Structures are given as C-alpha cells and as structure tokens.
Amino acid sequence: MEDVALSLNEDECQLNKNENINIGKDIFVLSLGEFEGPIDLLLDLARKQKVDLKEVSILDLADQYLDFINNAKNLNLELAAEYLVMAAWLAYLKSKLLMPTEDEGELSGEDLSFALSFQLRRLNAMREAVKDLFNLSLLNKDRFVKGNPEKEKINLFFQDNTCLNDLLLSYTSILRAKDTSEYSPQYKKLESVELALIRLNKMLSDNKEWEELSMFLPEHLFTKDIIYNRSILASTFSATLELVKSGKLELKQKQPFGKLFIRNNK
Amino acid sequence: MKKNGSIRSEVLFSIKVIEAILFSSLHPVSAKVIKSKLPEDANFEELIDIIKNKYLNSGFNLYKVSDAWAFRTSPEVVNFLTVEKIVKKKLSKAALEILAIIAYYQPITRAEIEDIRGVSVGQNSIENLFESSWVEPKGHKRVPGKPSTWRTTKHFLDHFGLESIKDLPNFYELKSSGLLSRNIEPSLIKKSSLSD
Amino acid sequence: MKKNGSIRSEVLFSIKVIEAILFSSLHPVSAKVIKSKLPEDANFEELIDIIKNKYLNSGFNLYKVSDAWAFRTSPEVVNFLTVEKIVKKKLSKAALEILAIIAYYQPITRAEIEDIRGVSVGQNSIENLFESSWVEPKGHKRVPGKPSTWRTTKHFLDHFGLESIKDLPNFYELKSSGLLSRNIEPSLIKKSSLSD
C-alpha cells in the first residue's frame, strides 16, 4: 500500500467558483471549461439563487440556463452537444411547467423539476461530503502512524512440495536420456544386388540349357523374414538383368507375367 | 476477569502482547491476527476496551478501522510533531468527488457514478483510485453487462479515521433525506418529496 | 510540579506531546529536540521519568539511546510478534535429478552421479540436499581418493511415504507404467498410478 496523504486545496473547496458570471447582465464572462458538464453549470446557477437548494425555483433556473446558452451562441462559441441537449430538455420542462397537461403516463412538470432538483441536491451533497471528509482527522496530517515500525519478524517454514511422482519422472528422464545416447538403429536384413551377382555367377558357370530363374534362388529362401525374402527376389532379378546387359546371359519370357528362363550365353 | 479487584496476570500479559503487536505495526492489525497470539480463553473485546481506555489520554490513541486496530497519534498534539514529510499525492477535484460518491453509495457501478455526477467518468479515474488503494472492486452487479461495482478500502477508513462507512460525515442525515438513492424514479420522486 | 496530588494539566499535555513525538519519529529523539517542543518551564527529566514509569509494564517501554529516547517493544513479548509463514516449494530440476540418482544407486559418489547424469554436479548441489535432510554421507568408497558416498535419509522415506528404499518402483515397474516409453505423453504422466 502506498503511503499517500490526500490533500484538498482551499480553492478546490470553492463551490461558488464562478462569481464572475452575471446572467443577463452586460458583463458576461463565459468559461464553460470550468464546468464539468451541464449539471455542474446548473448546480452553480442554482447556488446563485442564494436559497436552500430545496427551495430553488426550477423555472428561474431553466431561464438562467437558457440565457447562458443563448449568450454563448451569440458569441459564436462552440457548445458541446450535452449543453444543447440540456437546453432543449429545460425548454421542454419549462413548457410543461407553464402549460400543465393532463396526459396520463407522462411525467408532470412537477415530477421532472423534482427529479432535476433531486439530482442537483444529490451532487451538491457529495461536494459538501468531500469538504466534510477533509475536515476529519486525516492520517499523515492530523494523526500519524508509528514512525519506525518494527520489522516483522517472519519465521519462514519451507515445506517441500516435491512428490514421489516428481522424483520418478526425474529418474526416468535420466534413464531415457541415457538410452538415447546408446541408440543404434537396427537395419533390416536385406540381400544386395552384389551378393545376388556373386551367387548367380557361381551357379551359372556350367549351365548351357534354358532353365527357370526360380531355380537360381538360394536354397533356404523361405525364412520367416518376409522383407528379406522379397529382397532376394528383387536382387536376383536385378542381377539377372545386369548379366543380360553385359551379354553373359540370355533371358526369355513366353507371355506377360509368365515364367522367366535364363541360359548362359557362351 | 477481575479477582479481588486486581486484574489477573494473564490478562495483564495479554494486554502487553496486544500493545506490542499494535505498536510495532504500521497498518491496522485485524482482530483475527491479534486473537491468534492470545490464549484461547482470552476475552478479546474486553482486552481491547481496556487498552482503548488506557490510551484515551495519551499522545497516541487506539483507533478501530473496520475489523482492525491501530495506534495513531492524537490529533490534539499534531502541531508539536515534525514528522518526516510524506509524499502528498494530489487527487483531482473530480477524483475526490468520485471517491466520496463511492464511499457514500457503495457498492456502486461506474454508470451509477456517472448518473450522479451528470458527466462521464474518465476511464482512468476509478483505476487511479484503485491503484492508490482507496477503492477496490466488489463483485459484479446482476444487471445486463454485469458491470463491476466499487467500494472503499480499509485504507480509506484508516486515512479518514473512520471505524466504518456508517461514520462518514452526515451519513444518516443523507440517508434519511433520500439523497443516497441511486435512481430518480417517479415513485421515488413522490415519496422523497414527502419525506422532506 | 504536583499540586494537591494531581498532576497539572500542562504537565499532562507535555506528556502527550512527548509520547506522540516518540511514537511518530523514525529515530530516537534527542532531549534537545523534545525540549524545543515543550514550554520553557517544563521539567524535562521529571516528564521523562513519568513516561518511563507509565510504560514500565506495557507492551513497549521507553529506552534511552545515548542522549535520545525511543519506544521499543518489550523483550518479554517479542516472541508474539513473530509471524510464521509456510512457504511451499519444489526441488529444482537438477536437485531432483541428483536426489533420484542417489535414491536409485545409493551408496554413490559424486563422480558416479556425474557419470550417470553426463554433466558435472555443482559443488553445492549435494550439500544443499544434505542440509535439507534428503541425503546423508555414508562412509567412503575404497578407491583412490576415498570419495564420500551418499545415501538417502529417513526423512526422504517419510516425505515420499516409503517404508524402505526397496519400495521405489524398479526399472521394470517403471517400464510397465509407461514412464520409460520414449514418447512419453504428459497425459500419461498424470494418469500414471504413480502419482497417487
């Protein structure tokens, strides 16, 4: 909490701050900027009537306000819209007060002027309240706090919030990290084209007749490793094409997807 | 509490404890904190009364601020004190008016403050009061848009030497005159015109 | 100074002034400053004596500091001014890792911990765990340099609700709980029964 003292200047207490405004007189000093909106201006005008706010004549007040606004217009001053809205409303109120209608459901001129008077008295009460508040015994002005507050002696108890799960997660993260460092990918067992070439060369050396290519696959072809089996088929076929290309071998097939036959080209 | 006309020693000791706690603290100390330092069977209200009376004619007095207590120098001797200057933070006239309105009408929404003042309340006005610990939000009003409502803080009471909001100047007079009502409804207009 | 057994009102007022000055001042106040606030004919020594006696059995007393005076809380009740606060905190990531390694591999030396973690262990890391009673030294390893070995404490078991170190889930239990799977998902960690 900030240690601040509120202060209220004497001039801030002045509610009748615009003594120099003379309504309807030749000397007319306009300083709307000093008012916080039309209600503020109205309150100021009401206080000029120098009677209890309860007794203020709303009709007189409306006239004074409208004079004020008209004067401002004559001086070609730009008036904020809210001042004009209030002027229009007061003109309406005035007509209601002067020519009462018996229209049910609409507020009477008396109701409206009471509402306005209530609003003025309420705002005035709050302005007085500000003054009253500052007439109290204020802290750091009339009453003082201890000059040298003693340092709070605080005993801190540290309660460890670590739970077993934290410990285990920490441990397993170490284990996982270690595992990563020893990781070596396992390659699938495959037969290379080079191996198939060596195999075919050996098997073909003394072969002069057409024979089915499947006869040249290794003996234990059908192992459990399907990928390995397929790699043998693929590499054997690739090696065959390689040997045909180099002229060492002849290859024939009678029909599409039919059996392949090979023979030595010597 | 008294035995053969003499205050028992436990009571005397409890009084000492309370005095020391209040004496050493800058801010008002809540009843809850004080009670936590006293024996279970201590009669807190009676102890506070004894201390209040004891310092009635001292250079510093016991003040109640909401549900907390604090020693503050007596306003009687203020002219004899040369206290290290405390930074005075001036609030604008508008801010002071808003502070007073919040104090008297709390809890109150920004829109209601605008109704009373007849002008819009700048975005920062209430926030500034909040940052200086004069006001604090107090939930939302159950109307469309659920606007925040505001109330004054314990610091506000402490600053103006008030025990509670009911001790605000003319609080009861304003209340009974109907001026503390927020809305000017036709029904209210007629009723309060009668109450004058 | 006394008249018909009652202290004169000027004296009472001077006492109030001195009390307020001492209360509100930041530092002990010198006799000279206090005297400057009192009427010329005031008997300073007597006033100070009265005040000293007045607060002899209070929660705070008048102390003379060199040639200055100040109120200080009574040493009798100073313990009641202590505020106890519990601060909840967790071990740091590094400390937790070291603690976990000690728990699983105990007794273990600092060098061995470094081997497992793959990073060096800060000079204070193990000492901090020791001061917080998580681990304790357990003799020396019979290797060159005779390094200290560390093990977890009874406090460690108490804190984690373990009866013995054997109750820590072993490698296979961790594996089956999913904690060791490579792509461990946060949701899995939370769902894991180990958290209970």
Side-chain angles (χ1 to χ4, degrees), chain B:
Chain B
M1 206 117 186
K2 297 194 178 189
K3 211 178 223 172
N4 304 329
S6 77
I7 300 173
R8 289 204 320 260
S9 67
E10 299 100 90
V11 173
L12 274 177
F13 192 75
S14 288
I15 288 173
K16 270 193 208 182
V17 170
I18 299 174
E19 284 173 337
I21 292 170
L22 294 179
F23 178 79
S24 60
S25 174
L26 193 61
H27 300 293
V29 186
S30 75
K32 199 179 146 197
V33 168
I34 300 173
K35 280 176 186 167
S36 74
K37 304 288 183 184
L38 301 178
E40 292 239 335
D41 61 345
N43 185 337
F44 178 72
E45 300 301 331
E46 192 172 346
L47 293 169
I48 282 287
D49 258 6
I50 293 170
I51 296 172
K52 190 164 186 163
N53 286 323
K54 183 172 169 185
Y55 292 94
L56 219 49
N57 283 306
S58 266
F60 42 93
N61 317 124
L62 188 62
Y63 281 86
K64 187 178 183 187
V65 182
S66 180
D67 67 336
W69 278 265
F71 279 126
R72 300 289 183 244
T73 57
S74 166
E76 267 183 277
V77 293
V78 68
N79 294 332
F80 296 86
L81 301 181
T82 44
V83 180
E84 283 77 3
K85 284 224 166 137
I86 285 180
V87 192
K88 282 200 177 182
K89 192 172 182 176
K90 260 205 205 159
L91 289 177
S92 67
K93 179 178 164 286
L96 291 175
E97 208 170 282
I98 294 167
L99 180 60
I101 291 170
I102 294 175
Y104 279 86
Y105 291 84
Q106 61 188 293
I108 187 169
T109 67
R110 174 193 295 269
E112 288 167 336
I113 297 170
E114 290 179 341
D115 270 358
I116 292 169
R117 298 193 65 225
V119 284
S120 65
V121 169
Q123 193 60 38
N124 295 321
S125 305
I126 298 180
E127 280 70 13
N128 285 344
L129 288 172
F130 173 62
E131 274 165 27
S132 312
S133 304
W134 297 111
V135 302
E136 61 193 6
K138 191 206 182 264
H140 297 269
K141 193 165 179 173
R142 288 161 186 267
V143 292
K146 291 192 177 178
S148 292
T149 62
W150 296 89
R151 65 174 171 194
T152 52
T153 57
K154 198 182 274 189
H155 175 62
F156 170 87
L157 294 177
D158 194 20
H159 188 85
F160 290 101
L162 304 168
E163 187 177 324
S164 84
I165 281 308
K166 288 168 188 160
D167 297 326
L168 284 168
N170 298 322
F171 185 73
Y172 285 106
E173 290 87 331
L174 289 171
K175 195 153 187 142
S176 63
S177 72
L179 283 177
L180 289 189
S181 67
R182 266 152 248 251
N183 305 307
I184 318 166
E185 299 197 18
S187 59
L188 174 75
I189 291 168
K190 297 225 174 85
K191 254 189 280 164
S192 41
S193 62
L194 292 174
S195 72
D196 288 337

Side-chain angles (χ1 to χ4, degrees), chain A residues 144-150 152-176 178-180 183, chain C residues 23-26 73 82-91 96-97 100-101 104-105 116 134 156 159-160 169 174 179-182 184 189 194-195:
Chain A
F144 289 91
V145 301
K146 179 127 193 324
N148 183 23
E150 270 147 69
E152 231 180 13
K153 294 162 196 75
I154 300 175
N155 276 357
L156 288 182
F157 293 97
F158 288 99
Q159 197 179 66
D160 208 292
N161 223 8
T162 312
C163 64
L164 185 58
N165 203 30
D166 294 327
L167 185 80
L168 297 178
L169 281 173
S170 178
Y171 178 58
T172 53
S173 75
I174 299 166
L175 293 182
R176 282 201 306 276
K178 279 183 77 67
D179 204 11
T180 307
Y183 179 74
Chain C
F23 178 84
S24 60
S25 172
L26 207 54
T73 43
T82 311
V83 176
E84 287 169 6
K85 281 189 181 162
I86 292 174
V87 180
K88 287 193 176 175
K89 60 163 197 172
K90 286 198 180 200
L91 287 171
L96 202 53
E97 268 181 33
I101 292 169
Y104 275 90
Y105 295 88
I116 293 169
W134 291 111
F156 172 89
H159 184 90
F160 293 113
L174 290 171
L179 279 170
L180 275 179
S181 68
R182 196 164 294 273
I184 192 157
I189 295 171
L194 290 166
S195 63

Side-chain angles (χ1 to χ4, degrees), chain A residues 64-239:
Chain A
Q64 288 167 10
Y65 184 90
L66 293 172
D67 280 351
F68 187 95
I69 295 299
N70 285 333
N71 275 318
K73 277 185 187 162
N74 293 339
L75 293 169
N76 287 325
L77 288 178
E78 292 246 348
L79 282 173
E82 49 186 353
Y83 287 91
L84 299 174
V85 170
M86 178 60 85
W89 189 83
L90 285 173
Y92 167 76
L93 172 62
K94 211 177 129 186
S95 72
K96 281 226 143 201
L97 284 171
L98 295 174
M99 288 173 286
T101 50
E102 293 298 319
D103 197 349
E104 280 292 318
E106 239 186 275
L107 290 175
S108 69
E110 282 73 31
D111 283 344
L112 292 176
S113 53
F114 182 82
L116 180 60
S117 136
F118 178 84
Q119 207 177 347
L120 294 175
R121 278 159 53 213
R122 189 172 62 174
L123 182 60
N124 190 55
M126 284 302 106
R127 300 227 161 133
E128 296 290 341
V130 171
K131 282 200 288 179
D132 290 342
L133 277 173
F134 283 88
N135 283 331
L136 297 171
S137 295
L138 303 188
L139 202 64
N140 296 326
K141 180 169 168 284
D142 306 303
R143 295 172 303 129
F144 289 91
V145 301
K146 179 127 193 324
N148 183 23
E150 270 147 69
K151 291 258 161 39
E152 231 180 13
K153 294 162 196 75
I154 300 175
N155 276 357
L156 288 182
F157 293 97
F158 288 99
Q159 197 179 66
D160 208 292
N161 223 8
T162 312
C163 64
L164 185 58
N165 203 30
D166 294 327
L167 185 80
L168 297 178
L169 281 173
S170 178
Y171 178 58
T172 53
S173 75
I174 299 166
L175 293 182
R176 282 201 306 276
K178 279 183 77 67
D179 204 11
T180 307
S181 64
E182 290 168 3
Y183 179 74
S184 52
Q186 286 189 343
Y187 296 107
K188 297 276 181 197
K189 194 180 166 197
L190 299 171
E191 194 189 54
S192 65
V193 176
E194 286 74 20
L195 277 175
L197 272 173
I198 292 165
R199 182 160 43 83
L200 279 175
N201 274 326
K202 271 187 197 165
M203 294 172 89
L204 278 168
S205 56
D206 53 5
N207 177 36
K208 305 274 184 179
E209 301 301 315
W210 287 104
E211 273 186 90
E212 227 184 299
L213 180 59
S214 57
M215 299 302 290
F216 296 86
L217 293 171
E219 268 178 71
H220 306 291
L221 175 64
F222 297 106
T223 62
K224 280 181 191 167
D225 191 341
I226 296 162
I227 302 284
Y228 179 57
N229 294 346
R230 287 181 182 163
S231 78
I232 292 172
L233 284 176
S235 61
T236 304
F237 181 61
S238 297

Side-chain angles (χ1 to χ4, degrees), chain C residues 153-166:
Chain C
T153 59
K154 192 169 177 307
H155 169 72
F156 172 89
L157 295 177
D158 283 348
H159 184 90
F160 293 113
L162 302 167
E163 227 168 85
S164 88
I165 209 64
K166 287 171 191 160

